[in-house]
C-alpha cells in the first residue's frame, strides 16, 4: 500500500524525483526514483504505477521465499554415504581450504573406518544405531579415536542438512574419555636432553632448544625459516609448518610470537645460514618428512635415558612455564591452542612437587599446639 508520495526537483537538473513511502507487511518501505516525465503531475502518476509494480514484485518474491523456507528438503533416497563422501571432501573440506593435514585425516577416516562400516548405507538412514555400530566395531581403539570418527560422521550429516539432502542429523553424545597424564621431562631431564643433543652436533642442539625453550611442534621446527626470526625484537614468528612435504600455516592457522631465550638466540646466531629454512637436507632443500626429527633424536634419547617423543619437548616447555608462575592464558597463547581447555591438561604437578607438598603439610602439623591427653584445649 502506498502511504505517501513526494514529488520534488531532481538535484542540479530540470527533471523530477519521486519519493514514495509504502507499507509492506506492517513495515514502511521507502524508494526514490528519478522520473522520465516532463511535468510534476505526470511524474506523480508515473510514480504510482512504478510503486504498484514494485509492490507486486516484492510480494511475489516474498511468497516464493516463504514457500522455499516452508518446503521440507527432499530426502536423499538414493544417496549412499560412499557417494556423498566424495562430494563432501571436494565441496566442503577442500572448498573451505582446510589444511593439508586435515584433508588427509578426513580422507583416512573415511577410507579406514566410515566407508567400510557404513559406505553402502543411505545417508538419510544413518541414526544412533549406526553410531553404536562404529563404537562396537572399533572398541579396540582409544576412546578419543572413536570420538573423532563419530565426530566426522556428525559433521558430514550436519553439512547434508545444510545442503538440504536430509531432514535432520542424529544427536549422539560422545564417549567420556579417560584423562591420561601426558609425558613430560623433569627440569633435570630437560637439561640433560639439551646437553646430550649438543654432544651430537649444533643442529641437534638447536632442534632441542626449539622444543624445550620455544614449545614448537615437530612440523613447526622443520618449517622454521630465517625470515621468521627477528633478532632485534628477540622473537620468532611461528607462521609456517611442513606436513608431508607441503608448507602451510601452523595448526589452526594461528600465527604466534615466541620470545627467544638467550641460549636459543645464541644457538641461532652461531648456526650457519645455507638456505631459506633453518633445517635443510644435504641438497639444501627443506625437510619434507616429519620422521626426520624422531630419527635425529633416537640416539639422543637412548644415551640420555629419558622419555622419548618430540611432542614431549613441547609438554616440557608448557609445564616449566606454568611451574614458573606464567599464567594459563599466556601459556595458551605461546602454544597456539584454540581452547584453554587444551592448555589446562598441562596443569599437572611433578612428583617432586607432590612430595614437597606432603613435607610442607607434615611440618605445619608439627608446629601446631596440640593438647596432651587429659588436658583441656588451650585458651587465649
Amino acid at each position: 500500500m502506498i502511504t505517501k508520495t513526494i514529488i520534488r526537483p531532481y538535484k542540479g537538473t530540470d527533471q523530477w524525483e519521486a519519493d514514495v513511502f509504502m507499507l509492506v507487511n506492517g513495515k514502511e518501505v521507502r524508494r526514490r526514483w528519478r522520473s522520465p516525465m516532463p511535468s510534476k503531475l505526470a511524474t506523480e502518476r508515473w510514480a504510482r504505477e512504478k510503486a504498484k509494480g514494485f509492490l507486486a514484485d516484492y510480494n511475489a518474491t516474498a511468497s516464493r521465499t516463504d514457500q522455499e523456507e516452508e518446503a521440507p528438503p527432499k530426502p536423499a533416497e538414493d544417496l549412499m554415504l560412499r557417494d556423498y563422501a566424495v562430494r563432501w571432501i571436494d565441496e566442503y573440506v577442500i572448498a573451505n581450504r582446510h589444511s593439508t593435514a586435515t584433508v588427509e585425516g578426513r580422507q583416512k577416516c573415511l577410507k579406514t573406518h566410515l566407508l567400510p562400516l557404513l559406505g553402502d548405507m543411505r545417508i538419510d538412514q544413518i541414526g544412533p544405531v549406526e553410531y553404536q555400530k562404529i563404537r562396537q566395531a572399533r572398541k579396540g581403539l582409544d576412546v578419543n579415536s572413536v570420538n573423532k570418527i563419530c565426530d566426522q560422521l556428525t559433521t558430514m550429516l550436519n553439512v547434508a542438512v545444510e545442503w538440504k539432502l536430509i531432514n535432520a542429523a542424529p544427536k549422539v553424545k560422545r564417549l567420556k574419555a579417560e584423562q591420561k597424564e601426558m609425558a613430560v621431562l623433569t627440569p633435570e631431564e630437560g637439561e640433560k636432553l639439551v646437553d646430550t643433543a649438543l654432544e651430537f652436533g649444533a643442529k641437534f642442539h638447536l632442534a632441542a632448544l626449539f622444543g624445550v625453550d620455544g614449545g614448537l611442534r615437530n612440523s613447526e621446527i622443520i618449517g622454521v625459516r630465517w625470515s621468521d626470526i627477528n633478532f632485534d625484537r628477540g622473537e620468532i614468528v611461528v607462521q609456517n609448518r611442513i606436513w608431508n612435504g607441503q608448507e602451510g600455516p601452523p595448526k589452526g592457522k594461528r600465527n604466534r610470537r615466541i620470545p627467544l631465550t638467550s641460549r636459543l638466540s645464541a644457538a641461532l646466531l652461531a648456526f650457519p645460514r645455507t638456505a631459506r629454512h633453518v633445517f635443510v637436507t644435504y641438497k639444501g632443500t627443506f625437510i619434507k618428512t616429519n620422521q626426520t626429527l624422531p630419527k635425529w633424536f633416537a640416539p639422543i634419547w637412548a644415551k640420555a635415558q629419558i622419555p622419548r617423543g618430540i611432542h614431549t619437548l613441547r609438554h616440557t616447555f608448557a609445564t616449566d612455564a606454568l611451574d614458573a608462575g606464567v599464567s594459563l592464558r599466556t601459556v595458551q597463547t605461546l602454544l597456539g591452542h584454540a581452547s584453554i581447555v587444551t592448555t589446562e591438561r598441562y596443569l599437572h604437578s611433578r612428583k617432586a612437587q607432590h612430595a614437597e607438598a606432603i613435607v610442607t603439610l607434615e611440618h605445619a602439623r608439627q608446629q601446631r599446639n596440640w593438647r596432651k591427653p587429659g588436658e583441656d584445649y588451650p585458651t587465649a
Side-chain angles (χ1 to χ4, degrees):
M1 181 177 68
I2 302 174
T3 58
K4 184 168 61 174
T5 303
I6 302 175
I7 308 299
R8 63 171 70 93
Y10 193 78
K11 294 181 180 179
T13 69
D14 57 355
Q15 293 180 298
W16 297 92
E17 177 189 59
D19 193 357
V20 184
F21 295 81
M22 296 164 282
L23 193 63
V24 181
N25 296 332
K27 296 182 179 179
E28 188 176 58
V29 178
R30 180 185 182 186
R31 289 293 182 273
R32 289 187 293 182
W33 295 301
R34 186 174 178 177
S35 172
M37 297 300 160
S39 66
K40 184 174 181 180
L41 184 59
T43 296
E44 185 174 358
R45 295 197 194 100
W46 173 85
R48 288 188 176 277
E49 294 300 322
K50 181 81 172 177
K52 290 178 182 178
F54 171 82
L55 289 173
D57 293 340
Y58 190 97
N59 292 330
T61 303
S63 177
R64 287 195 300 267
T65 303
D66 293 340
Q67 290 176 0
E68 291 174 358
E69 292 179 353
E70 293 175 0
K74 296 181 180 180
E77 297 179 352
D78 298 322
L79 186 56
M80 303 299 177
L81 181 65
R82 190 179 307 279
D83 299 324
Y84 170 63
V86 177
R87 178 183 174 186
W88 181 75
I89 288 291
D90 291 338
E91 299 182 18
Y92 177 78
V93 179
I94 297 178
N96 289 336
R97 303 184 183 185
H98 292 184
S99 66
T100 303
T102 301
V103 174
E104 292 181 357
R106 299 290 200 189
Q107 292 174 331
K108 184 178 179 180
C109 180
L110 284 169
K111 182 179 179 180
T112 308
H113 305 292
L114 293 179
L115 296 186
L117 294 173
L118 308 175
D120 296 326
M121 283 196 65
R122 286 169 25 192
I123 61 174
D124 62 321
Q125 293 180 333
I126 297 176
V129 175
E130 283 63 43
Y131 280 82
Q132 285 301 123
K133 181 178 179 180
I134 294 174
R135 292 169 179 172
Q136 174 63 24
R138 298 296 182 261
K139 60 184 178 182
L141 298 179
D142 182 77
V143 172
N144 290 323
S145 299
V146 177
N147 279 337
K148 287 182 180 179
I149 298 171
C150 294
D151 289 346
Q152 176 163 327
L153 179 59
T154 300
T155 301
M156 295 177 68
L157 296 178
N158 285 333
V159 172
V161 173
E162 293 178 7
W163 290 352
K164 299 187 182 301
L165 299 175
I166 59 177
N167 293 324
K171 296 182 180 180
V172 182
K173 292 183 178 180
R174 305 174 86 244
L175 295 176
K176 188 174 182 180
E178 180 181 354
Q179 190 68 34
K180 295 182 179 179
E181 186 172 340
M182 295 179 294
V184 63
L185 304 179
T186 64
E188 295 76 19
E189 291 173 336
E191 293 306 309
K192 189 175 182 181
L193 172 70
V194 173
D195 294 339
T196 306
L198 181 58
E199 297 176 10
F200 281 78
K203 71 176 182 180
F204 304 97
H205 180 237
L206 183 57
L209 289 177
F210 271 133
V212 175
D213 283 13
L216 272 65
R217 301 178 176 93
N218 183 346
S219 58
E220 294 170 346
I221 293 176
I222 62 176
V224 174
R225 300 165 299 196
W226 287 109
S227 59
D228 299 330
I229 303 168
N230 190 324
F231 290 103
D232 294 334
R233 299 181 62 174
E235 66 181 14
I236 173 174
V237 182
V238 183
Q239 57 185 344
N240 185 58
R241 72 165 177 165
I242 297 174
W243 182 268
N244 288 351
Q246 296 186 15
E247 290 189 275
K251 188 175 181 180
K253 298 182 179 180
R254 294 178 180 85
N255 297 348
R256 63 188 192 277
R257 298 178 181 271
I258 308 295
L260 296 173
T261 62
S262 56
R263 62 179 180 178
L264 178 54
S265 179
L268 283 167
L269 288 170
F271 200 73
R273 300 190 185 191
T274 59
R276 192 165 71 102
H277 293 76
V278 175
F279 298 113
V280 294
T281 65
Y282 69 94
K283 295 182 180 180
T285 60
F286 66 83
I287 297 172
K288 296 183 178 181
T289 171
N290 298 88
Q291 298 302 316
T292 297
L293 290 186
K295 290 181 180 179
W296 284 4
F297 278 86
I300 299 175
W301 289 322
K303 183 175 182 180
Q305 292 296 303
I306 58 176
R308 295 171 176 258
I310 296 297
H311 217 63
T312 303
L313 308 184
R314 179 172 163 87
H315 294 171
T316 303
F317 166 81
T319 306
D320 284 348
L322 291 170
D323 289 349
V326 179
S327 70
L328 186 65
R329 186 67 66 180
T330 301
V331 174
Q332 177 194 1
T333 303
L334 293 174
L335 294 177
H337 287 158
S339 172
I340 200 169
V341 176
T342 306
T343 315
E344 288 176 347
R345 296 174 59 196
Y346 296 91
L347 284 174
H348 55 74
S349 301
R350 305 183 193 274
K351 293 180 179 179
Q353 291 177 327
H354 290 168
E356 182 180 350
I358 297 300
V359 170
T360 302
L361 175 61
E362 187 176 20
H363 178 72
R365 285 176 172 172
Q366 291 175 353
Q367 299 301 315
R368 291 176 180 171
N369 185 16
W370 294 99
R371 67 184 179 88
K372 296 181 180 180
E375 293 182 347
D376 293 332
Y377 284 100
T379 58

